[in-house]
Amino acid sequence: MKLLATRLPGVLIVEPAVFADDRGWFMESYSQRRFNEGLAALGLPTPRPFVQDNESVSARGVLRGLHYQLPPHPQGKLVRVVRGAALDVAVDIRRGSPTFGLWTATELSAAN
């Protein structure tokens, strides 16, 4: 697992290690130890425990909404595309934040 920082603090791209051969492929989709080690290497704190995993399916052309939770119930997001592709966009909408209004985007796909 490789973690890549974006221009928004706390928004990361997680690149899993995929092992493929003529039989197919294998990947570890999440490892708390590797994730925490990657965060530490980037100088980021260890997050609260990963306690919930949701999955959704969207038809072609669907725009999913903006997700934001206020304390005391903040929630991190781990987004993965298993078929097709999606443009994932994160925007800092926290008033008073030094990065307020900045955004980052990456194309997520079944191939990457």
Side-chain angles (χ1 to χ4, degrees):
M1 173 185 306
K2 181 177 169 184
L3 301 183
L4 305 171
T6 67
R7 69 183 189 158
L8 291 179
V11 177
L12 306 170
I13 296 171
V14 180
E15 289 186 347
V18 178
F19 304 94
D21 61 23
D22 58 339
R23 300 169 295 169
W25 59 268
F26 170 83
M27 79 169 194
E28 181 179 78
S29 60
Y30 179 75
S31 163
Q32 183 177 11
R33 180 182 59 80
R34 285 185 177 83
F35 187 69
N36 290 346
E37 288 171 355
L39 291 173
L42 293 172
L44 297 171
T46 300
R48 295 183 337 197
F50 181 63
V51 296
Q52 182 176 333
D53 181 28
N54 302 327
E55 186 171 330
S56 67
V57 175
S58 298
R60 183 181 183 100
V62 167
L63 175 65
R64 291 275 176 178
L66 183 66
H67 301 275
Y68 178 70
Q69 289 84 22
L70 295 171
H73 303 291
Q75 186 178 35
K77 302 284 190 266
L78 178 61
V79 180
R80 177 174 65 159
V81 173
V82 296
R83 188 172 76 188
L87 182 64
D88 189 51
V89 180
V91 182
D92 187 348
I93 60 170
R94 300 168 297 167
R95 295 208 187 281
S97 169
T99 55
F100 177 77
L102 290 181
W103 59 276
T104 185
T106 190
E107 183 180 75
L108 304 175
S109 73
N112 70 9

